[in-house]
Amino acid sequence: MRTSRWAILAYVAIVIFGCLAALPSVLPPGLRQQFTSVLPFEPVTLGLDLKGGSHLVLEVDAAGLQKARVNTLLDDTRRLLRGERVSASSARISGNTVTVSIPDAADREKVLPKLQELATPVSVIGFGASAPEVEVTTSGDVITLSLTEAGLADRMTKAVEQSLEIIRNRVDQVGVAEPLIQRIGSNRILVQLPGLQDPTRLRELLGSTAQMSFHMLDQSVDVTESPPRGVEILPGANDGNRYPIESRVAISGERLADAKVGFDQQTNQPVVDFSFDSLGARQFAEITRENVGRPFAVVLDGKVLTAPVINEPILGGRGQISGNFTVEEATVLSALLRSGALPAPLTIIEERSVGPNLGSDSIRMGLYTGLVGFGLVISLMVVLYGAWGMIANVGLLLHTIMTIGVLALIGSTLTLPGIAGIILGIGMAVDANILINARIREETEAGAGAMKALDVGFNKAYATILDSNVTTLVGTVLLFWLGSGPVRGFAVTMMLGIIISMFTSVTVVRLLMREVVVRRKMKKLEIPSLFGRVPHLPTISFMKRRYQAIGFSAFLSISSVVLFFTPGLNYGIDFIGGIQVEAVSKEKIDLPTLRHGLEELNLGEVALQDFGGGQSVLIRVQRQPGGEKEQTAALNRIKEAVTTAVPGATLERTEVVGPTISTELARSGSLAVGLAMLAILLYIWFRFEWHFAVGAIAVLLLDITKTIGFFALTGVDFNLTAIAALLTMIGYSVNDKVVVYDRMRENLRKYKSMPFSELIDMSINQVIARCIFTSVATALSLVPMAIWGGEVVRSFAWPMIFGVIVATTSSIYIGGPILLFLSRWWKDREASRSGVQPAGTP
């Protein structure tokens, strides 16, 4: 099949564009500035664990939280009084309490039990009991409602937890990827954001409570004089004017359904388009219908964003906020409105820039080991396919370069989970090349000429590559859709790697191989190894040993489940929190020495971050098993190790930190994995048959349990890096199963009368070399990282190597027997339904 000249030019243009986009990421800073001044390309943004970024500590305003709760208590009290037909004006705020003056004894007796119902119980940590949130007391004809210490503590805990989720949503919605967001102490939140961020924009984004409301303006009030009751004078957010606002809220910001950035059609200025929910739309329509000709103010955190005049009734529940915004300001405002209001104001009490999580020594070693691994993969391709392997290596190199280039183009942040996605992408690209070369060898052995072997080999391999990649892509899209933080970062690089590998392996490599065949006028296309002709592997009957294989696999999976509960996973800082210590020295701190000294304490996961200048370091160690006594003992050992490794160092602060992975993040990640597996099931069902789909998911579950057992047995820290390894293993495992099942489907069409057990054996024997070669290639890329990559990289590499071995062996030994069992069960079921005795199947 001949490719048109225009298509070739388009392919060349895509490759050149991708390489140019990746170039700033590898150039030295001086050359990079010269390059970016000529061409509009920027380097890929490195995440917090690779490069560092901004460090902010926010504190929940306890006084503001208490004031808001007292105001809510006053509203609840007045609503209750009105329901009992008692004057609501008798309730008022007195300091931090609500007092209700009721002279009539009968009214007091009627109202008091209702007010006591407002004292909802809250749990008291550590005592297994509960205490009332509100204390109700009487003195004469006055009833007093005051907040208890337990109630305030419970309110603070809930406010911090809610603020964590809202901050995470805000950061995600404005495109800051891979943030580190965690609770520290009782009322503070740590936010670390990767790359070069605008501190002013971040302060605005994180410090705003985003309490939005809509009010009518009282045009009869002079803003230079004291306002009457029921009217407030508020400043404009952008214009410096003052506005007389009616205190009564016309529509609450809680009624907003959506907000997004748009552009005014007349002025082309950025605006924020918003829409209400059904109740808000009805309220908005009613207000605009009754107040045509009057100004209507949009108020955010005590400032008037805009105050347009209502020209006509607005019945669609949609509106627009304008105010001379920049695009960045409009983006931040829309994100604030979408993510909801913070339960209390947040004050930024600390802002610094931090160094990378891994340390420059770990990053450098990780880079070197990654390059060594890539070199081993390239060497393997040459060993397996000789000179033709060099063409495949060109495709692999272009795949890696273009992945980095596209990441830079879309502004994605590259972190350790993202690197995991790139590694899996390389593994899939290797797999595609191995499939293609294996198919060409088969066609050549069948007697096909050079050009026919090339075309037929690529066409047959393409169907398998498409199925395996689309299966993985379906799951990855769901991971991106439902996941956040590290899950999304992994999903982005995975999606790019899959799509780019389809282009480089199928298109670029095919063109290069075709060009060689045409220029050399080859009659026969042979692909020998570096050492000559490739010998055929002996034929193995896998189905004869199927009961032993399934039994052994089931034993390992059940054992892994037991290990999951006893002794359990060694959860890292990301899941359980831990101890945080800040050390300061007059001299530059030697991070490798300090890390080595802390790791010798055997306290579990250790993370170091240097603050600007290298004279201050933040040490995070996972929480120790046991109570506070164990935490204190661990803290003392950390202090001793720090003073030993860094003489003269002082410890500025020590505190207990909360987990990085919030409940919402863990829940959404689990849901993403579950739905991804469901999508894989449906796709394989659609492309193959139902028993292929069920078999693939069953084997995948066995692979996952074994990998979890590996974490439990070895005690490797289960953290964000471990999640990346687990997700990578899932993608690799599904890809492997689909390749094997695709050959079975092909043989089912060829040999319709062959017993299914024999067909499975034949199919596995035909692809076993491909399974082994692909696994060896992926493992080779990981072995240098596992041995020399440092503690953090090792916790990703070793589980991945184990996962690759498990996925490969299950594809060969477990997938076929499960498929045979399902097929026979279905045939027996259909036969029993029809009343026909099923024939024996070998």
Side-chain angles (χ1 to χ4, degrees), residues 123-418:
S123 60
V124 180
I125 298 175
F127 296 96
S130 61
E133 181 194 12
V134 177
E135 185 178 9
V136 182
T137 58
T138 58
S139 177
D141 59 359
V142 177
I143 302 175
T144 303
L145 295 88
S146 55
L147 299 178
T148 64
E149 291 296 325
L152 288 173
D154 181 71
R155 182 68 53 172
M156 176 62 73
T157 298
K158 291 179 179 177
V160 173
E161 291 175 353
Q162 185 180 352
S163 298
L164 281 169
E165 300 308 328
I166 292 174
I167 288 173
R168 192 181 304 281
N169 288 335
R170 291 182 181 181
V171 170
D172 282 344
Q173 290 188 28
V174 297
V176 181
E178 309 286 0
L180 172 68
I181 301 172
Q182 65 185 28
R183 178 177 181 173
I184 56 175
S186 61
N187 64 339
R188 292 181 179 179
I189 297 173
L190 169 68
V191 181
Q192 292 186 341
L193 301 166
L196 299 175
Q197 308 294 338
D198 181 2
T200 304
R201 182 184 172 198
L202 292 175
R203 278 195 295 270
E204 179 185 354
L205 178 69
L206 301 179
S208 173
T209 56
Q211 293 175 340
M212 185 174 180
S213 55
F214 300 83
H215 302 253
M216 300 306 302
L217 262 67
D218 190 337
Q219 294 177 287
S220 64
V221 174
D222 186 350
V223 296
T224 61
E225 298 180 359
S226 180
R229 185 175 181 180
V231 176
E232 298 178 62
I233 306 297
L234 298 182
N238 301 303
D239 55 13
N241 295 332
R242 303 177 70 201
Y243 297 86
I245 304 298
E246 292 184 1
S247 301
R248 184 178 65 87
V249 177
I251 305 179
S252 170
E254 296 177 356
R255 300 267 69 92
L256 282 174
D258 191 20
K260 55 187 178 183
V261 179
F263 290 89
D264 190 285
Q265 294 182 353
Q266 296 179 348
T267 63
N268 203 33
Q269 291 293 316
V271 294
V272 176
D273 296 317
F274 64 86
S275 59
F276 291 106
D277 59 18
S278 56
L279 177 59
R282 289 197 298 271
Q283 294 176 345
F284 194 46
E286 183 178 336
I287 290 170
T288 54
R289 187 184 299 114
E290 295 176 356
N291 294 279
V292 173
R294 292 188 59 190
F296 188 62
V298 182
V299 179
L300 178 70
D301 289 343
K303 294 182 180 180
V304 178
L305 292 175
T306 183
V309 175
I310 301 172
N311 295 320
E312 58 184 4
I314 303 174
L315 306 179
R318 296 179 178 276
Q320 189 180 89
I321 303 173
S322 59
N324 297 322
F325 300 127
T326 63
V327 175
E328 290 78 10
E329 290 170 343
T331 302
V332 169
L333 176 57
S334 61
L336 291 172
L337 299 182
R338 282 196 305 271
S339 59
L342 288 167
L346 292 176
T347 304
I348 297 177
I349 61 174
E350 181 182 337
E351 179 182 341
R352 289 188 276 179
S353 45
V354 297
N357 233 7
L358 304 183
S360 57
D361 56 318
S362 295
I363 296 172
R364 186 168 54 252
M365 186 56 69
L367 178 62
Y368 291 161
T369 54
L371 290 174
V372 171
F374 188 73
L376 290 175
V377 172
I378 289 176
S379 301
L380 177 68
M381 296 301 289
V382 174
V383 169
L384 291 177
Y385 305 115
W388 297 102
M390 293 303 298
I391 295 178
N393 288 335
V394 172
L396 289 178
L397 184 61
L398 287 176
H399 168 270
T400 307
I401 293 172
M402 292 180 69
T403 301
I404 295 173
V406 176
L407 284 173
L409 283 174
I410 64 176
S412 181
T413 302
L414 182 63
T415 60
L416 197 61

Side-chain angles (χ1 to χ4, degrees), residues 612-671:
Q615 296 177 327
S616 179
V617 63
L618 190 67
I619 304 165
R620 289 202 299 272
V621 178
Q622 70 182 62
R623 185 175 179 84
Q624 303 302 302
E628 294 305 315
K629 184 178 180 181
E630 284 74 14
Q631 312 311 313
T632 303
L635 180 59
N636 291 332
R637 294 176 64 192
I638 293 169
K639 290 178 180 178
E640 292 176 5
V642 171
T643 53
T644 302
V646 188
T650 58
L651 302 179
E652 292 293 317
R653 66 173 186 214
T654 60
E655 55 197 345
V656 177
V657 301
T660 304
I661 302 180
S662 66
T663 305
E664 179 66 25
L665 179 57
R667 185 166 57 246
S668 63
S670 302
L671 180 63

Side-chain angles (χ1 to χ4, degrees), residues 826-836:
W826 182 255
K827 286 181 179 179
D828 291 345
R829 181 174 177 272
E830 291 299 304
S832 63
R833 278 186 172 184
S834 61
V836 179

Side-chain angles (χ1 to χ4, degrees), residues 76-128:
D76 293 341
T77 302
R78 286 178 172 173
R79 184 167 50 253
L80 189 150
L81 293 175
R82 285 192 291 267
E84 298 297 328
R85 300 185 182 279
V86 177
S87 174
S89 61
S90 60
R92 58 179 55 85
I93 294 176
S94 176
N96 290 325
T97 63
V98 174
T99 60
V100 185
S101 179
I102 307 177
D104 188 271
D107 286 344
R108 277 201 309 277
E109 292 297 324
K110 180 173 60 173
V111 167
L112 184 60
K114 300 290 184 181
L115 291 175
Q116 288 174 337
E117 291 178 2
L118 296 177
T120 56
V122 296
S123 60
V124 180
I125 298 175
F127 296 96

